Amino acid sequence: MSLSQDIPNPISQLDLILERDVFLRTLIRELSGTLQEIVGLEEAAGFISVVGQAMGDQINSSYKSALNVSNLSREEVAQVLVDLKKRIQGDFYIIEEDDEKIVFGNRVCPFAEKVIDRPSMCMMTSNVFGSITANNLGYAKVELQETIAEGDESCRVVVYLKLTEDAEDAEGREYFKA
């Protein structure tokens, strides 16, 4: 027996917080959690890094195409990184910017509460920021100094643009122009 489209379905009237955004953020949280449990945090971060690299390449191409440029300047890279996070409901902003590094702050993770205890998900930020920066400026090292995923109130992300002594001393991932 099938329900007629004219008869209201009581199931569809339930007050549930379930829509595409929550579903996809939960999916990513559960995938990263499963990876962290099965292969460990470092390996999970590696797998997520591969996805982040591909996404970074796609996003980089989209911005360069929309701006009709073959390469982004340092200033444009910084603006693009802030803009892309705002578009996915993050709240990144520039704390400091010079020829050697760009320091970002963030008050809201695009994954919202789903990122808590899932530091491997931060590899999306590291790889997207690193790949866009390196592909335009030649080099990047991304250091995730503070993250909401690890219990901090906000994020602090440093993107080193040159291999300086500070960059060498930083714990982070390096990215090079493809």
Side-chain angles (χ1 to χ4, degrees):
M1 180 174 168
S2 65
L3 294 175
S4 167
Q5 297 220 9
D6 297 334
I7 301 172
N9 180 348
I11 300 294
S12 68
Q13 305 305 310
L14 294 174
D15 185 22
L16 297 175
I17 301 173
L18 183 59
E19 41 79 38
R20 183 171 55 182
D21 178 64
V22 172
F23 176 81
L24 293 174
R25 286 187 294 115
T26 302
L27 173 69
I28 293 168
R29 175 183 170 74
E30 295 307 318
L31 282 170
S32 66
T34 300
L35 281 170
Q36 284 179 206
E37 289 172 19
I38 293 174
V39 300
L41 178 56
E42 192 171 319
E43 290 295 320
F47 283 115
I48 292 171
S49 292
V50 173
V51 175
Q53 175 75 42
M55 291 192 69
D57 291 344
Q58 290 176 22
I59 293 167
N60 186 44
S61 292
S62 294
Y63 275 99
K64 289 194 310 188
S65 177
L67 291 166
N68 197 28
V69 296
S70 60
N71 244 7
L72 301 172
S73 68
R74 184 194 81 223
E75 295 81 6
E76 289 170 326
V77 165
Q79 292 170 9
V80 161
L81 298 181
V82 168
D83 183 70
L84 79 87
K85 287 295 189 172
K86 285 194 185 312
R87 289 176 186 263
I88 60 172
Q89 297 179 21
D91 190 17
F92 277 71
Y93 55 94
I94 298 168
I95 295 172
E96 177 186 340
E97 178 182 359
D98 60 36
D99 288 339
E100 294 181 357
K101 69 181 180 279
I102 307 168
V103 181
F104 296 92
N106 175 44
R107 294 173 281 252
V108 179
C109 180
F111 293 114
E113 77 287 352
K114 303 298 183 186
V115 79
I116 303 299
D117 296 325
R118 295 296 192 271
S120 62
M121 291 169 67
C122 299
M123 286 301 101
M124 290 299 292
T125 295
S126 179
N127 278 270
V128 169
F129 278 28
S131 64
I132 290 173
T133 302
N135 283 327
N136 287 286
L137 305 178
Y139 172 82
K141 184 172 187 178
V142 179
E143 180 182 23
L144 303 171
Q145 291 183 338
E146 298 173 12
T147 65
I148 294 168
E150 292 183 331
D152 294 305
E153 287 186 31
S154 60
C155 299
R156 182 179 174 93
V157 179
V158 180
V159 179
Y160 295 93
L161 309 174
K162 296 180 178 177
L163 190 53
T164 61
E165 192 173 314
D166 285 344
E168 284 186 37
D169 293 342
E171 288 188 34
R173 290 180 181 252
E174 288 185 299
Y175 302 87
F176 301 90
K177 187 170 190 159

